[in-house]
Amino acid sequence: MEQQTINNIAEICHQQEIEKAIISPGSRNAPLTLAFVRHPKIQCFSISDERSAAFIGMGMAQADRKPVALICTSGSAALNYAPAIAEAYFQETPLIVITADRPPEWIDQWDGQTIRQENIYGKHVKKSYNIAVDLSHADAQWQTYRVINEAVLESKTGVQGPVHINIPFREPFYPEKSENWNYDQNVKIIKSIVGEKRLNENQISQLQAELKEKEKIAFVLGQDDYSVEFLQALDQTSQQVNIPIFADVISNGHGLKNAIHLPDSICMSMLKDSKTEVIPDLIISFGKSIISKNLKLFLRKNVKAQWHVRNHHAFISDPFQSLSKQIEAEPISILQHLNKSSSAEFLKLWKDKNTEAETKTNQFLSTQSFSEFSALQDIIKKLPEDSHLHLANSLSVRYANFIGIKQGRIKIWANRGTSGIDGSTSTAIGHAISQKDQNHFLITGDVAFFYDRNAFWHKYPYPNLKIILLNNQGGSIFRMIKGPNQQAELDEFFETEQRLDAKSLCSELGIAHFSAFDAESFETIKDKFMKYPQSAILEIKTDAKINQKIFEDFKKQLIS
């Protein structure tokens, strides 16, 4: 076992700007563990559950905007990374996934902790690499260093995402006490220089000629980690040329002046009868997915032309079935050339509809009995500026989308790459650990919360994270979806009733627990929870059938 070569893998990662590594304990990965933990410039975290560890690493990579290394032992440990890797792939988050493996001669020989690890993540990583088992030859070392450089560069170049490096080890795994321990600071480092992508004058002229034929133009802002500069440029352009910005909750466009931040609510009433004056002639989209199903259906039904603008495209994505141009260029550079004004009446119409939807929402919730929906609106209104709000999947993110965010400097995060319930808490904790000087809030449902309880199974503090737990004793979203709510098996096999609460877990973890079960108890503790100086969980206990009735009545109110 060539420990010096493994040490140099850690050194290359450091020189390629990797500052954090998540390591799950094991024996086969001991050479990697020691190489990274002993490196003076890499901060390492020990997270036992690989499923949670990978999501925590993803949260850190998002927070820092830098790749994070994940290191685990052989066998099923590597498979437990898979959900987070798939999420990171579709969210375009860079991860360096390093799995220790058994030597090739023992694959398929009934040896313990031995599975087929080459290309184990399939098409959910940008690229997979397999390191030679014998690293004693100089050429094998040269190849290893080249591969590590390439893998790290691949993760953060173009469309970012996870890469996989599989390293087989033979025993012994542990160095002798007398063995010299060092890192070669002159190890081979390969840098990448990538220039900006811009359209030429002819291409710009073609776009401007097509724009002249469009009277009603709308921007669609999908989920992405947009720069402040881009959002400012989009805001300015939107105001200059009268273009509304369809910006649902995961877009982070809620602070823009022409943002239509309740498009789901607005489009709910327009799906059956879409009048000509509300239909865009062209939509210009940025980023990735949107969560607003009604907006998506409205655009699919009515819009005939769409330009999608990104720096890099991994594939053609046409979720509105209207894509006519895929523009690969710096989005800000495209905004500079949008000199055709859209209809001022079109902008006013959508802004008026947004105001109407907001008024209806506020009026409706102010007249309802206590529910998780109304409680959540109250909590969201109290979130301090410059906070990070994490939204778990299922009802949490949908409630927030219908409520809307008014504070302009709140940043929204959600695992909408695969949209699974797994890992929402772990991802938020990864953010909170990386950004200790910023406030983080997580809104989650009971199924997602208890599914990911191992997010707390480590020693690293997160006093800047508060969790709002909507506990209705099951996956009550299935009560609100036509189909499962009409089946006799709803209670046991769809909603999956459970009777857990978070009080015992909080006691075990040393986290403050606040509980609300009606309007009076909620009013009593909500401000105490928000002002509490350490990590805390506010558990809002409600009846799933009452929540269902209120949400159904809310949707009727929107289309009335």
Side-chain angles (χ1 to χ4, degrees):
M1 195 270 293
E2 286 287 322
Q3 183 66 52
Q4 184 60 57
T5 305
I6 305 305
N7 288 359
N8 289 343
I9 289 176
E11 179 63 25
I12 292 170
C13 288
H14 157 62
Q15 293 198 38
Q16 292 286 10
E17 300 183 324
I18 292 176
E19 299 174 351
K20 292 184 174 72
I22 305 292
I23 301 173
S24 295
S27 188
R28 186 70 51 169
N29 61 331
L32 288 162
T33 298
L34 296 174
F36 278 80
V37 169
R38 293 179 180 180
H39 196 287
K41 297 295 181 65
I42 298 177
Q43 186 178 11
C44 293
F45 302 83
S46 179
I47 309 292
S48 296
D49 184 338
E50 286 87 2
R51 187 177 64 178
S52 176
F55 278 107
I56 289 175
M58 187 184 74
M60 289 180 173
Q62 291 173 338
D64 296 343
R65 293 186 171 182
K66 291 181 178 180
V68 167
L70 304 177
I71 298 169
C72 74
T73 193
S74 63
S76 59
L79 285 170
N80 282 320
Y81 277 168
I85 289 172
E87 179 67 31
Y89 180 80
F90 289 109
Q91 284 223 46
E92 301 173 5
T93 302
L95 295 175
I96 312 302
V97 183
I98 308 176
T99 57
D101 197 1
R102 300 274 163 155
E105 63 268 20
W106 286 107
I107 307 300
D108 295 334
Q109 296 304 302
W110 299 338
D111 202 35
Q113 289 187 297
T114 304
I115 62 174
R116 299 166 183 174
Q117 288 184 206
E118 287 191 46
N119 302 307
I120 195 172
Y121 305 114
K123 295 183 178 180
H124 290 113
V125 290
K126 290 188 68 180
K127 200 167 182 179
S128 292
Y129 304 86
N130 207 59
I131 301 298
V133 67
D134 183 359
L135 299 176
S136 59
H137 195 281
D139 285 354
Q141 295 166 17
W142 163 78
Q143 181 195 34
T144 298
Y145 302 153
R146 177 185 61 76
V147 164
I148 301 301
N149 276 285
E150 179 183 327
V152 178
L153 292 175
E154 179 70 25
S155 75
K156 57 184 180 178
T157 302
V159 178
Q160 297 187 343
V163 296
H164 175 216
I165 304 167
N166 191 56
I167 307 180
F169 291 100
R170 292 195 182 103
E171 295 189 58
F173 308 135
Y174 300 93
E176 298 292 336
K177 288 185 177 180
S178 59
E179 185 172 329
N180 289 329
W181 196 272
N182 61 74
Y183 299 88
D184 181 4
Q185 295 182 10
N186 295 316
V187 68
K188 185 178 181 65
I189 301 296
I190 302 170
K191 295 293 186 180
S192 177
I193 299 176
V194 180
E196 290 186 353
K197 290 190 175 182
R198 294 181 176 272
L199 302 185
N200 60 41
E201 291 184 7
N202 183 52
Q203 292 169 324
I204 292 168
S205 297
Q206 290 177 10
L207 292 179
Q208 290 178 334
E210 188 171 331
L211 276 175
K212 289 180 180 179
E213 302 174 1
K214 311 297 182 184
E215 289 298 320
K216 295 171 293 180
I217 304 168
F219 290 134
V220 177
L221 204 58
Q223 184 180 32
D224 221 331
D225 189 10
Y226 300 106
S227 67
V228 173
E229 293 75 18
F230 168 76
L231 291 175
Q232 289 175 342
L234 183 67
D235 198 23
Q236 184 177 8
T237 300
S238 169
Q239 294 177 62
Q240 289 174 344
V241 293
N242 301 322
I243 297 181
I245 304 169
F246 297 154
D248 66 18
V249 72
I250 64 173
S251 73
N252 282 299
H254 44 273
L256 307 181
K257 186 172 179 61
N258 286 339
I260 309 302
H261 73 286
L262 297 174
D264 218 6
S265 300
I266 296 168
C267 292
M268 188 178 294
S269 62
M270 299 195 303
L271 288 179
K272 289 185 178 179
D273 182 21
S274 302
K275 297 182 180 179
T276 305
E277 60 265 26
V278 302
I279 299 173
D281 300 321
L282 170 69
I283 56 174
I284 302 174
S285 58
F286 305 91
K288 301 186 286 289
S289 67
I290 63 173
I291 190 175
S292 299
K293 183 177 181 180
N294 294 305
L295 172 61
K296 194 180 299 182
L297 294 175
F298 170 80
L299 295 176
R300 282 180 190 169
K301 178 182 177 182
N302 297 293
V303 174
K304 305 301 180 187
Q306 175 197 357
W307 300 352
H308 189 58
V309 184
R310 295 201 81 192
N311 249 334
H312 308 278
H313 297 269
F315 41 76
I316 291 178
S317 183
D318 188 15
F320 313 130
Q321 299 179 327
S322 59
L323 186 66
S324 52
K325 280 186 173 58
Q326 183 166 272
I327 301 173
E328 193 160 311
E330 294 285 344
I332 289 181
S333 71
I334 297 298
L335 292 174
Q336 294 170 353
H337 300 293
L338 296 181
N339 54 11
K340 166 66 168 66
S341 289
S342 181
S343 164
E345 291 77 15
F346 177 68
L347 171 62
K348 183 178 184 304
L349 178 63
W350 276 96
K351 292 187 75 171
D352 287 347
K353 286 185 174 297
N354 195 75
T355 300
E356 180 185 355
E358 187 175 5
T359 300
K360 282 186 174 182
T361 300
N362 292 333
Q363 289 177 344
F364 176 83
L365 289 176
S366 67
T367 62
Q368 298 302 305
S369 58
F370 180 75
S371 71
E372 57 189 17
F373 194 13
S374 59
L376 206 54
Q377 185 196 43
D378 202 331
I379 289 291
I380 287 175
K381 285 181 178 179
K382 294 181 181 300
L383 293 176
E385 290 279 12
D386 298 314
S387 297
H388 294 259
L389 175 60
H390 302 264
L391 299 169
N393 281 306
S394 292
L395 270 177
S396 301
V397 69
R398 287 173 173 82
Y399 277 145
N401 195 41
F402 280 111
I403 292 167
I405 308 295
K406 294 293 288 182
Q407 304 93 312
R409 298 200 311 274
I410 288 181
K411 189 159 187 177
I412 309 297
W413 301 91
N415 285 357
R416 296 301 296 177
T418 64
S419 304
I421 64 165
D422 48 349
S424 298
T425 306
S426 294
T427 306
I429 283 179
H431 276 262
I433 292 173
S434 269
Q435 298 174 322
K436 291 183 171 63
D437 60 337
Q438 298 179 39
N439 291 320
H440 291 261
F441 295 85
L442 167 66
I443 297 172
T444 183
D446 51 349
V447 177
F449 177 81
F450 292 114
Y451 190 92
D452 191 24
R453 73 179 80 193
N454 275 355
F456 304 100
W457 187 26
H458 54 79
K459 67 177 184 179
Y460 306 102
Y462 40 89
N464 52 332
L465 173 65
K466 287 187 172 67
I467 298 172
I468 298 92
L469 169 58
L470 307 178
N471 192 346
N472 48 46
Q473 274 89 50
S476 68
I477 188 171
F478 291 104
R479 289 191 171 274
M480 304 180 189
I481 301 174
K482 187 177 181 180
N485 65 3
Q486 299 173 339
Q487 309 307 312
E489 296 82 0
L490 171 66
D491 290 348
E492 183 174 0
F493 292 101
F494 291 95
E495 188 175 34
T496 319
E497 182 181 352
Q498 56 81 28
R499 292 293 174 184
L500 297 173
D501 66 38
K503 186 174 183 179
S504 296
L505 183 62
C506 287
S507 176
E508 180 182 337
L509 298 169
I511 300 175
H513 179 261
F514 297 83
S515 181
F517 51 87
D518 57 20
E520 184 178 356
S521 59
F522 180 69
E523 286 296 323
T524 301
I525 56 90
K526 63 182 181 181
D527 289 335
K528 295 179 182 177
F529 166 76
M530 295 299 289
K531 294 176 182 177
Y532 192 76
Q534 298 292 322
S535 183
I537 293 177
L538 169 57
E539 187 168 12
I540 300 172
K541 296 183 178 182
T542 54
D543 183 275
K545 292 180 181 179
I546 293 175
N547 292 327
Q548 177 190 7
K549 175 69 165 56
I550 289 174
F551 199 56
E552 288 173 350
D553 289 347
F554 168 68
K555 289 189 287 187
K556 291 176 184 176
Q557 170 84 356
L558 288 177
I559 62 178
S560 63

